[in-house]
Amino acid sequence: MNSHNEAIAETAAEVPPAAPSSPFKIFHRVVDWITSDRLQLINITDRINDIVRKSGIRDGIVHLQSLHTTTAVFLNEWQDALLADVRAILEELVRREGNWRHNDPQYSDCERQNADSHLRGMLLGQALCLQVRNSAVLLGTWQSIILAEFDGPRSRTMSVQVSGI
Amino acid sequence: MNSHNEAIAETAAEVPPAAPSSPFKIFHRVVDWITSDRLQLINITDRINDIVRKSGIRDGIVHLQSLHTTTAVFLNEWQDALLADVRAILEELVRREGNWRHNDPQYSDCERQNADSHLRGMLLGQALCLQVRNSAVLLGTWQSIILAEFDGPRSRTMSVQVSGI
Amino acid sequence: MNSHNEAIAETAAEVPPAAPSSPFKIFHRVVDWITSDRLQLINITDRINDIVRKSGIRDGIVHLQSLHTTTAVFLNEWQDALLADVRAILEELVRREGNWRHNDPQYSDCERQNADSHLRGMLLGQALCLQVRNSAVLLGTWQSIILAEFDGPRSRTMSVQVSGI
């Protein structure tokens, strides 16, 4: 097994730090989506970049938090074939028709039969923090920001906070 | 497959940014728990909100970091039936009695037989960043902050940092 | 099921907040690695601590973001036997030879046959936020910061941002 980092070449590109005299700012927006499918993937990259641009913040952090347990936010390539695989792996890892207590009226008063939605949301997470550089979200060439609906159709809300200088 | 966002309705509610003249602050607390079971879920939402309130910070970020690899911190609904499902999916995805090297004296000097605990902690993560709004942790109606013990009973420590204005 | 927190003992150690007059700063570095294996785990803890030390920031946040979808960043113990288990669970949860559309020329123009790499990266995530305390990354005794290569050998870039006071 080659797990050690002795053989790893490293280079570091230094970037000049921002002027220390800039005042710290926080900018906040709430964004809503109306979803149409039970399991739906939405590319929100442009929407988040719009908010970052409006914030006037050049360097810092953008924090995305979906306010629903049966959703998730994550990065991946936005390609139709891969999105089908994202759905497939989630359906394989957390089966909808599992023997879940949350779906059993004997144990639960939830009538949505959405245990799988909760567990898929937990695996991928509902909060994501990304860097802001030069007034844009820092993303690699193939990285898109994806909001996952796991129990639609619903109205969904995300809180977006940009902080920095 | 309906994965595109062309059909998604969007609305944005603008929130006035905080006064730019407020000074940036950092507030830090260390919290300890003594757990009683091997796999135990603890609702720490109130405890984190207490710390945020004491911090005097109105807008910003609260960062939670459990200092142990065999734990996790995540969001989900706090409902007994669903918590049973959380345990079930973790036990299904990462079997305790797998053929793990970390549990094999031939390869490992760890005597806790806790490979499953490490791998479950890795899947859910030990660090969580959430927004602070109006001197409280921003959470959706059904979102609770959950600390997961995967190798108890133990004494566990979490570092909580509130930063902002 | 013992999932309630009534029985949990808690103590809180207060740490004096940093002087509110310190100016907020952001420090940024780009780090590159050349990987040698398809699935490779790299301990980047020392490299990140070097950057935090150079930043001159005493208290705050260090944000790590790998700029590639087929990678991940996470915490775990750095032990050879456990690293073998990390590889094993990822290969079990997301099979390389699955029936993935991303690998099927009928649906995808990607020739890397790396659907598994994308899905493993999604499960563990490419962004990680950790606390900075006393000019070092806050980590528990057994926590190392691990960069996972899921589609090597490649040249990989991580953006490291330290912010705080």
Side-chain angles (χ1 to χ4, degrees), chain A residues 2-3 5 8 10-14 59-61 76-77 79 85 92 129 131 133 138 140 143, chain C residues 26 28-30 32-33 37 40-41 43 47 63 65-66 78 95 101-102 108 118 126 159 161:
Chain A
N2 192 333
S3 302
N5 66 342
I8 309 302
E10 293 185 22
T11 64
E14 187 157 3
D59 279 284
I61 286 287
N76 217 332
E77 183 180 345
Q79 185 223 34
D85 296 335
E92 182 186 319
C129 210
Q131 293 173 36
R133 299 282 305 156
L138 181 73
Q143 288 181 322
Chain C
I26 296 184
H28 181 250
R29 282 287 169 100
V30 174
D32 297 313
W33 282 270
D37 294 336
Q40 185 175 348
L41 304 171
N43 189 339
R47 193 82 189 97
H63 187 275
Q65 190 177 337
S66 166
W78 187 257
R95 294 179 315 284
R101 285 209 176 192
H102 185 65
S108 169
H118 281 279
Q126 287 121 41
S159 179
Q161 184 195 71

mmCIF file of all heavy atoms in Angstrom, chain A residues 2-3 5 8 10-14 59-61 76-77 79 85 92 129 131 133 138 140 143, chain C residues 26 28-30 32-33 37 40-41 43 47 63 65-66 78 95 101-102 108 118 126 159 161:
data_model
loop_
_atom_site.group_PDB
_atom_site.id
_atom_site.type_symbol
_atom_site.label_atom_id
_atom_site.label_comp_id
_atom_site.label_asym_id
_atom_site.label_seq_id
_atom_site.Cartn_x
_atom_site.Cartn_y
_atom_site.Cartn_z
ATOM 1 N N ASN A 2 0.570 2.132 -0.899
ATOM 2 C CA ASN A 2 1.357 3.351 -1.020
ATOM 3 C C ASN A 2 0.564 4.514 -0.416
ATOM 4 O O ASN A 2 -0.037 5.309 -1.121
ATOM 5 C CB ASN A 2 1.647 3.603 -2.500
ATOM 6 C CG ASN A 2 2.692 4.684 -2.677
ATOM 7 O OD1 ASN A 2 2.834 5.552 -1.809
ATOM 8 N ND2 ASN A 2 3.421 4.650 -3.780
ATOM 9 N N SER A 3 0.554 4.590 0.895
ATOM 10 C CA SER A 3 -0.284 5.600 1.549
ATOM 11 C C SER A 3 0.541 6.692 2.203
ATOM 12 O O SER A 3 -0.004 7.615 2.772
ATOM 13 C CB SER A 3 -1.160 4.943 2.607
ATOM 14 O OG SER A 3 -1.956 3.949 2.014
ATOM 15 N N ASN A 5 3.272 9.868 2.453
ATOM 16 C CA ASN A 5 3.450 11.038 1.598
ATOM 17 C C ASN A 5 4.911 11.365 1.355
ATOM 18 O O ASN A 5 5.222 12.418 0.838
ATOM 19 C CB ASN A 5 2.692 12.246 2.151
ATOM 20 C CG ASN A 5 3.261 12.711 3.467
ATOM 21 O OD1 ASN A 5 3.986 11.967 4.118
ATOM 22 N ND2 ASN A 5 2.946 13.924 3.846
ATOM 23 N N ILE A 8 5.565 12.207 -2.315
ATOM 24 C CA ILE A 8 4.710 13.207 -2.936
ATOM 25 C C ILE A 8 5.487 14.485 -3.209
ATOM 26 O O ILE A 8 6.067 15.083 -2.309
ATOM 27 C CB ILE A 8 3.518 13.524 -2.021
ATOM 28 C CG1 ILE A 8 2.826 12.245 -1.587
ATOM 29 C CG2 ILE A 8 2.555 14.492 -2.697
ATOM 30 C CD1 ILE A 8 2.325 11.387 -2.722
ATOM 31 N N GLU A 10 5.711 18.384 -3.820
ATOM 32 C CA GLU A 10 4.873 19.508 -3.409
ATOM 33 C C GLU A 10 5.421 20.810 -3.959
ATOM 34 O O GLU A 10 6.622 21.033 -3.996
ATOM 35 C CB GLU A 10 4.840 19.624 -1.883
ATOM 36 C CG GLU A 10 4.139 18.484 -1.207
ATOM 37 C CD GLU A 10 4.042 18.732 0.284
ATOM 38 O OE1 GLU A 10 4.126 19.902 0.697
ATOM 39 O OE2 GLU A 10 3.912 17.756 1.013
ATOM 40 N N THR A 11 4.514 21.669 -4.364
ATOM 41 C CA THR A 11 4.903 23.027 -4.674
ATOM 42 C C THR A 11 3.884 23.944 -4.025
ATOM 43 O O THR A 11 2.749 23.552 -3.801
ATOM 44 C CB THR A 11 4.918 23.316 -6.191
ATOM 45 O OG1 THR A 11 3.574 23.176 -6.670
ATOM 46 C CG2 THR A 11 5.816 22.351 -6.933
ATOM 47 N N ALA A 12 4.301 25.149 -3.691
ATOM 48 C CA ALA A 12 3.365 26.088 -3.074
ATOM 49 C C ALA A 12 3.418 27.406 -3.809
ATOM 50 O O ALA A 12 4.488 27.968 -4.012
ATOM 51 C CB ALA A 12 3.707 26.294 -1.604
ATOM 52 N N ALA A 13 2.271 27.862 -4.253
ATOM 53 C CA ALA A 13 2.189 29.167 -4.894
ATOM 54 C C ALA A 13 1.671 30.166 -3.880
ATOM 55 O O ALA A 13 0.568 30.003 -3.358
ATOM 56 C CB ALA A 13 1.259 29.093 -6.102
ATOM 57 N N GLU A 14 2.451 31.178 -3.592
ATOM 58 C CA GLU A 14 2.021 32.153 -2.587
ATOM 59 C C GLU A 14 1.132 33.207 -3.230
ATOM 60 O O GLU A 14 1.387 33.667 -4.340
ATOM 61 C CB GLU A 14 3.223 32.814 -1.933
ATOM 62 C CG GLU A 14 2.820 33.696 -0.765
ATOM 63 C CD GLU A 14 3.968 33.905 0.211
ATOM 64 O OE1 GLU A 14 5.075 33.409 -0.066
ATOM 65 O OE2 GLU A 14 3.747 34.549 1.218
ATOM 66 N N ASP A 59 -12.685 38.389 -0.673
ATOM 67 C CA ASP A 59 -12.013 37.206 -0.131
ATOM 68 C C ASP A 59 -12.703 36.773 1.147
ATOM 69 O O ASP A 59 -12.946 37.603 2.026
ATOM 70 C CB ASP A 59 -10.544 37.529 0.202
ATOM 71 C CG ASP A 59 -9.658 37.483 -1.015
ATOM 72 O OD1 ASP A 59 -9.338 36.367 -1.457
ATOM 73 O OD2 ASP A 59 -9.324 38.577 -1.521
ATOM 74 N N GLY A 60 -13.000 35.487 1.252
ATOM 75 C CA GLY A 60 -13.639 35.006 2.462
ATOM 76 C C GLY A 60 -14.254 33.641 2.270
ATOM 77 O O GLY A 60 -13.689 32.780 1.578
ATOM 78 N N ILE A 61 -15.419 33.488 2.872
ATOM 79 C CA ILE A 61 -16.087 32.191 2.928
ATOM 80 C C ILE A 61 -17.542 32.389 2.504
ATOM 81 O O ILE A 61 -18.162 33.385 2.866
ATOM 82 C CB ILE A 61 -16.060 31.676 4.401
ATOM 83 C CG1 ILE A 61 -14.660 31.190 4.794
ATOM 84 C CG2 ILE A 61 -17.088 30.581 4.640
ATOM 85 C CD1 ILE A 61 -14.247 29.883 4.175
ATOM 86 N N ASN A 76 -20.004 18.122 -7.186
ATOM 87 C CA ASN A 76 -19.692 17.051 -8.130
ATOM 88 C C ASN A 76 -19.726 17.618 -9.547
ATOM 89 O O ASN A 76 -20.119 18.772 -9.744
ATOM 90 C CB ASN A 76 -20.653 15.860 -8.002
ATOM 91 C CG ASN A 76 -19.920 14.530 -8.207
ATOM 92 O OD1 ASN A 76 -18.912 14.468 -8.904
ATOM 93 N ND2 ASN A 76 -20.428 13.472 -7.602
ATOM 94 N N GLU A 77 -19.289 16.829 -10.513
ATOM 95 C CA GLU A 77 -19.379 17.247 -11.910
ATOM 96 C C GLU A 77 -20.840 17.218 -12.333
ATOM 97 O O GLU A 77 -21.598 16.319 -11.953
ATOM 98 C CB GLU A 77 -18.559 16.288 -12.789
ATOM 99 C CG GLU A 77 -18.552 16.696 -14.248
ATOM 100 C CD GLU A 77 -17.745 15.739 -15.127
ATOM 101 O OE1 GLU A 77 -16.971 14.932 -14.582
ATOM 102 O OE2 GLU A 77 -17.909 15.802 -16.361
ATOM 103 N N GLN A 79 -22.898 16.380 -15.011
ATOM 104 C CA GLN A 79 -22.987 15.648 -16.278
ATOM 105 C C GLN A 79 -24.153 14.678 -16.173
ATOM 106 O O GLN A 79 -24.242 13.921 -15.184
ATOM 107 C CB GLN A 79 -21.674 14.891 -16.539
ATOM 108 C CG GLN A 79 -21.638 14.206 -17.903
ATOM 109 C CD GLN A 79 -21.065 12.802 -17.849
ATOM 110 O OE1 GLN A 79 -21.246 12.078 -16.876
ATOM 111 N NE2 GLN A 79 -20.388 12.412 -18.923
ATOM 112 N N ASP A 85 -25.845 8.216 -12.052
ATOM 113 C CA ASP A 85 -25.083 7.353 -11.132
ATOM 114 C C ASP A 85 -25.208 7.827 -9.687
ATOM 115 O O ASP A 85 -25.223 7.019 -8.759
ATOM 116 C CB ASP A 85 -23.613 7.325 -11.551
ATOM 117 C CG ASP A 85 -23.405 6.703 -12.932
ATOM 118 O OD1 ASP A 85 -24.260 5.893 -13.357
ATOM 119 O OD2 ASP A 85 -22.398 7.024 -13.582
ATOM 120 N N GLU A 92 -29.017 2.685 -3.883
ATOM 121 C CA GLU A 92 -28.431 1.401 -3.492
ATOM 122 C C GLU A 92 -27.993 1.423 -2.020
ATOM 123 O O GLU A 92 -28.243 0.481 -1.275
ATOM 124 C CB GLU A 92 -27.229 1.108 -4.390
ATOM 125 C CG GLU A 92 -26.560 -0.226 -4.101
ATOM 126 C CD GLU A 92 -25.289 -0.398 -4.927
ATOM 127 O OE1 GLU A 92 -25.283 -0.030 -6.122
ATOM 128 O OE2 GLU A 92 -24.292 -0.897 -4.365
ATOM 129 N N CYS A 129 -19.308 24.700 3.142
ATOM 130 C CA CYS A 129 -18.520 25.920 3.256
ATOM 131 C C CYS A 129 -17.508 25.940 2.114
ATOM 132 O O CYS A 129 -16.772 24.967 1.932
ATOM 133 C CB CYS A 129 -17.795 25.848 4.608
ATOM 134 S SG CYS A 129 -17.463 27.408 5.372
ATOM 135 N N GLN A 131 -14.636 28.519 -0.351
ATOM 136 C CA GLN A 131 -13.864 29.747 -0.335
ATOM 137 C C GLN A 131 -14.381 30.751 -1.370
ATOM 138 O O GLN A 131 -14.862 30.370 -2.431
ATOM 139 C CB GLN A 131 -12.382 29.447 -0.622
ATOM 140 C CG GLN A 131 -11.729 28.649 0.499
ATOM 141 C CD GLN A 131 -10.323 28.178 0.184
ATOM 142 O OE1 GLN A 131 -9.571 28.889 -0.484
ATOM 143 N NE2 GLN A 131 -9.966 26.998 0.659
ATOM 144 N N ARG A 133 -12.863 33.768 -3.618
ATOM 145 C CA ARG A 133 -11.603 34.363 -4.094
ATOM 146 C C ARG A 133 -11.927 35.293 -5.242
ATOM 147 O O ARG A 133 -12.627 34.899 -6.182
ATOM 148 C CB ARG A 133 -10.643 33.279 -4.608
ATOM 149 C CG ARG A 133 -10.211 32.257 -3.592
ATOM 150 C CD ARG A 133 -9.151 32.733 -2.636
ATOM 151 N NE ARG A 133 -7.972 33.251 -3.299
ATOM 152 C CZ ARG A 133 -7.138 34.127 -2.739
ATOM 153 N NH1 ARG A 133 -7.362 34.589 -1.521
ATOM 154 N NH2 ARG A 133 -6.088 34.550 -3.389
ATOM 155 N N LEU A 138 -14.771 29.857 -5.189
ATOM 156 C CA LEU A 138 -13.651 29.075 -5.690
ATOM 157 C C LEU A 138 -14.121 27.655 -5.997
ATOM 158 O O LEU A 138 -14.598 26.937 -5.110
ATOM 159 C CB LEU A 138 -12.541 29.019 -4.632
ATOM 160 C CG LEU A 138 -11.301 28.235 -5.061
ATOM 161 C CD1 LEU A 138 -10.508 29.023 -6.100
ATOM 162 C CD2 LEU A 138 -10.431 27.906 -3.863
ATOM 163 N N GLY A 140 -13.094 24.107 -8.658
ATOM 164 C CA GLY A 140 -12.285 23.506 -9.704
ATOM 165 C C GLY A 140 -13.079 23.433 -11.001
ATOM 166 O O GLY A 140 -14.305 23.617 -11.021
ATOM 167 N N GLN A 143 -16.071 21.208 -10.807
ATOM 168 C CA GLN A 143 -16.887 21.237 -9.589
ATOM 169 C C GLN A 143 -18.111 22.131 -9.757
ATOM 170 O O GLN A 143 -17.971 23.334 -10.008
ATOM 171 C CB GLN A 143 -16.057 21.730 -8.393
ATOM 172 C CG GLN A 143 -15.034 20.699 -7.920
ATOM 173 C CD GLN A 143 -14.217 21.177 -6.725
ATOM 174 O OE1 GLN A 143 -13.855 22.342 -6.634
ATOM 175 N NE2 GLN A 143 -13.921 20.260 -5.818
ATOM 176 N N ILE C 26 -6.914 37.443 6.267
ATOM 177 C CA ILE C 26 -7.075 36.233 5.462
ATOM 178 C C ILE C 26 -5.739 35.920 4.804
ATOM 179 O O ILE C 26 -5.083 36.816 4.259
ATOM 180 C CB ILE C 26 -8.161 36.423 4.377
ATOM 181 C CG1 ILE C 26 -9.531 36.643 5.021
ATOM 182 C CG2 ILE C 26 -8.210 35.201 3.455
ATOM 183 C CD1 ILE C 26 -10.675 36.752 4.021
ATOM 184 N N HIS C 28 -3.784 32.973 2.245
ATOM 185 C CA HIS C 28 -4.175 31.985 1.235
ATOM 186 C C HIS C 28 -2.953 31.339 0.588
ATOM 187 O O HIS C 28 -1.988 32.019 0.273
ATOM 188 C CB HIS C 28 -5.018 32.716 0.170
ATOM 189 C CG HIS C 28 -5.506 31.828 -0.898
ATOM 190 N ND1 HIS C 28 -5.034 31.871 -2.184
ATOM 191 C CD2 HIS C 28 -6.421 30.835 -0.883
ATOM 192 C CE1 HIS C 28 -5.647 30.973 -2.918
ATOM 193 N NE2 HIS C 28 -6.487 30.325 -2.157
ATOM 194 N N ARG C 29 -3.009 30.027 0.433
ATOM 195 C CA ARG C 29 -1.957 29.290 -0.251
ATOM 196 C C ARG C 29 -2.566 28.224 -1.154
ATOM 197 O O ARG C 29 -3.605 27.647 -0.809
ATOM 198 C CB ARG C 29 -1.043 28.556 0.759
ATOM 199 C CG ARG C 29 -0.044 29.437 1.452
ATOM 200 C CD ARG C 29 1.081 29.832 0.495
ATOM 201 N NE ARG C 29 1.895 30.877 1.089
ATOM 202 C CZ ARG C 29 3.059 30.649 1.688
ATOM 203 N NH1 ARG C 29 3.549 29.435 1.736
ATOM 204 N NH2 ARG C 29 3.738 31.642 2.207
ATOM 205 N N VAL C 30 -1.896 27.975 -2.260
ATOM 206 C CA VAL C 30 -2.286 26.877 -3.145
ATOM 207 C C VAL C 30 -1.216 25.803 -3.046
ATOM 208 O O VAL C 30 -0.024 26.108 -3.155
ATOM 209 C CB VAL C 30 -2.421 27.374 -4.598
ATOM 210 C CG1 VAL C 30 -2.689 26.210 -5.539
ATOM 211 C CG2 VAL C 30 -3.525 28.415 -4.687
ATOM 212 N N ASP C 32 0.135 21.914 -4.311
ATOM 213 C CA ASP C 32 -0.009 20.882 -5.353
ATOM 214 C C ASP C 32 0.621 19.570 -4.911
ATOM 215 O O ASP C 32 1.656 19.571 -4.243
ATOM 216 C CB ASP C 32 0.694 21.339 -6.641
ATOM 217 C CG ASP C 32 0.078 22.591 -7.216
ATOM 218 O OD1 ASP C 32 -1.150 22.630 -7.313
ATOM 219 O OD2 ASP C 32 0.835 23.534 -7.537
ATOM 220 N N TRP C 33 -0.009 18.483 -5.279
ATOM 221 C CA TRP C 33 0.564 17.152 -5.066
ATOM 222 C C TRP C 33 0.547 16.385 -6.378
ATOM 223 O O TRP C 33 -0.386 16.529 -7.171
ATOM 224 C CB TRP C 33 -0.270 16.351 -4.060
ATOM 225 C CG TRP C 33 -0.065 16.710 -2.646
ATOM 226 C CD1 TRP C 33 0.847 16.181 -1.785
ATOM 227 C CD2 TRP C 33 -0.795 17.678 -1.876
ATOM 228 N NE1 TRP C 33 0.728 16.763 -0.544
ATOM 229 C CE2 TRP C 33 -0.266 17.679 -0.577
ATOM 230 C CE3 TRP C 33 -1.848 18.547 -2.168
ATOM 231 C CZ2 TRP C 33 -0.759 18.506 0.435
ATOM 232 C CZ3 TRP C 33 -2.324 19.371 -1.178
ATOM 233 C CH2 TRP C 33 -1.787 19.348 0.107
ATOM 234 N N ASP C 37 -0.842 6.620 -7.318
ATOM 235 C CA ASP C 37 -1.730 5.450 -7.394
ATOM 236 C C ASP C 37 -3.151 5.893 -7.736
ATOM 237 O O ASP C 37 -3.507 7.044 -7.552
ATOM 238 C CB ASP C 37 -1.765 4.721 -6.047
ATOM 239 C CG ASP C 37 -0.423 4.115 -5.715
ATOM 240 O OD1 ASP C 37 0.360 3.850 -6.650
ATOM 241 O OD2 ASP C 37 -0.154 3.923 -4.512
ATOM 242 N N GLN C 40 -5.215 6.608 -3.453
ATOM 243 C CA GLN C 40 -4.056 6.900 -2.606
ATOM 244 C C GLN C 40 -4.465 7.832 -1.472
ATOM 245 O O GLN C 40 -5.236 8.777 -1.677
ATOM 246 C CB GLN C 40 -2.971 7.562 -3.471
ATOM 247 C CG GLN C 40 -1.667 7.801 -2.750
ATOM 248 C CD GLN C 40 -0.599 8.346 -3.691
ATOM 249 O OE1 GLN C 40 -0.773 8.336 -4.917
ATOM 250 N NE2 GLN C 40 0.482 8.841 -3.138
ATOM 251 N N LEU C 41 -3.944 7.557 -0.282
ATOM 252 C CA LEU C 41 -4.248 8.383 0.884
ATOM 253 C C LEU C 41 -2.978 9.107 1.315
ATOM 254 O O LEU C 41 -1.924 8.485 1.443
ATOM 255 C CB LEU C 41 -4.795 7.510 2.013
ATOM 256 C CG LEU C 41 -6.036 6.684 1.617
ATOM 257 C CD1 LEU C 41 -6.378 5.673 2.718
ATOM 258 C CD2 LEU C 41 -7.225 7.592 1.350
ATOM 259 N N ASN C 43 -1.222 11.912 4.034
ATOM 260 C CA ASN C 43 -1.327 12.644 5.301
ATOM 261 C C ASN C 43 -0.812 14.063 5.097
ATOM 262 O O ASN C 43 0.391 14.274 4.923
ATOM 263 C CB ASN C 43 -0.506 11.922 6.375
ATOM 264 C CG ASN C 43 -0.748 12.509 7.754
ATOM 265 O OD1 ASN C 43 -1.196 13.649 7.880
ATOM 266 N ND2 ASN C 43 -0.444 11.740 8.794
ATOM 267 N N ARG C 47 1.777 19.661 6.436
ATOM 268 C CA ARG C 47 1.737 20.694 5.388
ATOM 269 C C ARG C 47 0.735 21.801 5.756
ATOM 270 O O ARG C 47 1.013 22.990 5.578
ATOM 271 C CB ARG C 47 1.317 20.018 4.069
ATOM 272 C CG ARG C 47 1.519 20.867 2.862
ATOM 273 C CD ARG C 47 2.954 20.808 2.375
ATOM 274 N NE ARG C 47 3.190 21.798 1.325
ATOM 275 C CZ ARG C 47 3.719 22.992 1.552
ATOM 276 N NH1 ARG C 47 4.093 23.349 2.757
ATOM 277 N NH2 ARG C 47 3.903 23.834 0.555
ATOM 278 N N HIS C 63 -9.632 26.653 6.094
ATOM 279 C CA HIS C 63 -10.548 25.992 5.162
ATOM 280 C C HIS C 63 -9.737 25.325 4.056
ATOM 281 O O HIS C 63 -8.930 25.963 3.389
ATOM 282 C CB HIS C 63 -11.518 27.019 4.557
ATOM 283 C CG HIS C 63 -12.576 26.390 3.720
ATOM 284 N ND1 HIS C 63 -12.380 26.078 2.396
ATOM 285 C CD2 HIS C 63 -13.825 25.976 4.014
ATOM 286 C CE1 HIS C 63 -13.486 25.510 1.912
ATOM 287 N NE2 HIS C 63 -14.374 25.443 2.876
ATOM 288 N N GLN C 65 -9.850 23.125 0.547
ATOM 289 C CA GLN C 65 -10.731 22.758 -0.542
ATOM 290 C C GLN C 65 -9.927 22.144 -1.677
ATOM 291 O O GLN C 65 -9.119 22.816 -2.328
ATOM 292 C CB GLN C 65 -11.503 24.004 -1.021
ATOM 293 C CG GLN C 65 -12.607 23.670 -1.995
ATOM 294 C CD GLN C 65 -13.399 24.916 -2.397
ATOM 295 O OE1 GLN C 65 -13.415 25.914 -1.678
ATOM 296 N NE2 GLN C 65 -14.052 24.857 -3.530
ATOM 297 N N SER C 66 -10.136 20.860 -1.887
ATOM 298 C CA SER C 66 -9.522 20.210 -3.034
ATOM 299 C C SER C 66 -10.312 20.610 -4.275
ATOM 300 O O SER C 66 -11.544 20.629 -4.259
ATOM 301 C CB SER C 66 -9.554 18.696 -2.851
ATOM 302 O OG SER C 66 -9.271 18.059 -4.075
ATOM 303 N N TRP C 78 -4.119 8.010 11.402
ATOM 304 C CA TRP C 78 -3.170 7.629 10.373
ATOM 305 C C TRP C 78 -2.426 6.361 10.820
ATOM 306 O O TRP C 78 -1.381 6.426 11.457
ATOM 307 C CB TRP C 78 -2.191 8.779 10.119
ATOM 308 C CG TRP C 78 -1.295 8.521 8.948
ATOM 309 C CD1 TRP C 78 0.020 8.126 8.984
ATOM 310 C CD2 TRP C 78 -1.637 8.619 7.555
ATOM 311 N NE1 TRP C 78 0.504 7.976 7.715
ATOM 312 C CE2 TRP C 78 -0.487 8.267 6.816
ATOM 313 C CE3 TRP C 78 -2.804 8.954 6.875
ATOM 314 C CZ2 TRP C 78 -0.471 8.255 5.420
ATOM 315 C CZ3 TRP C 78 -2.792 8.933 5.494
ATOM 316 C CH2 TRP C 78 -1.644 8.594 4.778
ATOM 317 N N ARG C 95 -18.576 0.230 -5.795
ATOM 318 C CA ARG C 95 -17.791 -0.718 -6.592
ATOM 319 C C ARG C 95 -17.264 -0.057 -7.857
ATOM 320 O O ARG C 95 -17.982 0.673 -8.544
ATOM 321 C CB ARG C 95 -18.649 -1.927 -6.978
ATOM 322 C CG ARG C 95 -19.078 -2.780 -5.794
ATOM 323 C CD ARG C 95 -19.937 -3.931 -6.261
ATOM 324 N NE ARG C 95 -20.943 -3.494 -7.241
ATOM 325 C CZ ARG C 95 -22.064 -2.833 -6.941
ATOM 326 N NH1 ARG C 95 -22.348 -2.510 -5.688
ATOM 327 N NH2 ARG C 95 -22.907 -2.487 -7.893
ATOM 328 N N ARG C 101 -23.432 4.688 -15.691
ATOM 329 C CA ARG C 101 -23.653 5.390 -16.956
ATOM 330 C C ARG C 101 -22.463 6.265 -17.349
ATOM 331 O O ARG C 101 -22.167 6.434 -18.524
ATOM 332 C CB ARG C 101 -24.888 6.304 -16.853
ATOM 333 C CG ARG C 101 -26.165 5.520 -16.887
ATOM 334 C CD ARG C 101 -27.275 6.354 -17.487
ATOM 335 N NE ARG C 101 -28.470 5.519 -17.578
ATOM 336 C CZ ARG C 101 -29.544 5.844 -18.241
ATOM 337 N NH1 ARG C 101 -29.608 7.024 -18.853
ATOM 338 N NH2 ARG C 101 -30.579 5.049 -18.292
ATOM 339 N N HIS C 102 -21.820 6.845 -16.334
ATOM 340 C CA HIS C 102 -20.676 7.728 -16.606
ATOM 341 C C HIS C 102 -19.553 6.965 -17.321
ATOM 342 O O HIS C 102 -18.700 7.584 -17.966
ATOM 343 C CB HIS C 102 -20.173 8.309 -15.283
ATOM 344 C CG HIS C 102 -19.077 9.317 -15.403
ATOM 345 N ND1 HIS C 102 -19.234 10.537 -16.019
ATOM 346 C CD2 HIS C 102 -17.776 9.294 -14.987
ATOM 347 C CE1 HIS C 102 -18.094 11.217 -15.964
ATOM 348 N NE2 HIS C 102 -17.197 10.481 -15.350
ATOM 349 N N SER C 108 -21.999 8.758 -22.122
ATOM 350 C CA SER C 108 -20.993 9.665 -21.577
ATOM 351 C C SER C 108 -19.785 9.766 -22.494
ATOM 352 O O SER C 108 -19.364 8.771 -23.101
ATOM 353 C CB SER C 108 -20.560 9.121 -20.201
ATOM 354 O OG SER C 108 -19.432 9.799 -19.726
ATOM 355 N N HIS C 118 -15.792 9.597 -8.721
ATOM 356 C CA HIS C 118 -16.710 10.716 -8.467
ATOM 357 C C HIS C 118 -17.610 10.422 -7.259
ATOM 358 O O HIS C 118 -17.857 11.300 -6.426
ATOM 359 C CB HIS C 118 -17.613 10.952 -9.685
ATOM 360 C CG HIS C 118 -16.975 11.700 -10.801
ATOM 361 N ND1 HIS C 118 -16.850 13.056 -10.808
ATOM 362 C CD2 HIS C 118 -16.428 11.276 -11.960
ATOM 363 C CE1 HIS C 118 -16.258 13.452 -11.939
ATOM 364 N NE2 HIS C 118 -15.991 12.378 -12.652
ATOM 365 N N GLN C 126 -15.132 17.287 -0.529
ATOM 366 C CA GLN C 126 -13.859 17.891 -0.958
ATOM 367 C C GLN C 126 -13.498 19.155 -0.190
ATOM 368 O O GLN C 126 -12.471 19.780 -0.465
ATOM 369 C CB GLN C 126 -13.936 18.201 -2.452
ATOM 370 C CG GLN C 126 -13.876 16.970 -3.316
ATOM 371 C CD GLN C 126 -15.107 16.846 -4.185
ATOM 372 O OE1 GLN C 126 -15.580 17.823 -4.713
ATOM 373 N NE2 GLN C 126 -15.614 15.639 -4.331
ATOM 374 N N SER C 159 -6.670 24.396 -2.337
ATOM 375 C CA SER C 159 -6.619 25.776 -1.893
ATOM 376 C C SER C 159 -6.802 25.803 -0.380
ATOM 377 O O SER C 159 -7.751 25.217 0.139
ATOM 378 C CB SER C 159 -7.719 26.577 -2.593
ATOM 379 O OG SER C 159 -7.687 27.914 -2.151
ATOM 380 N N GLN C 161 -7.137 28.259 2.937
ATOM 381 C CA GLN C 161 -7.406 29.627 3.367
ATOM 382 C C GLN C 161 -7.446 29.662 4.895
ATOM 383 O O GLN C 161 -8.231 28.936 5.516
ATOM 384 C CB GLN C 161 -8.755 30.081 2.813
ATOM 385 C CG GLN C 161 -9.079 31.528 3.125
ATOM 386 C CD GLN C 161 -10.549 31.841 2.897
ATOM 387 O OE1 GLN C 161 -11.397 31.398 3.655
ATOM 388 N NE2 GLN C 161 -10.840 32.584 1.856
#
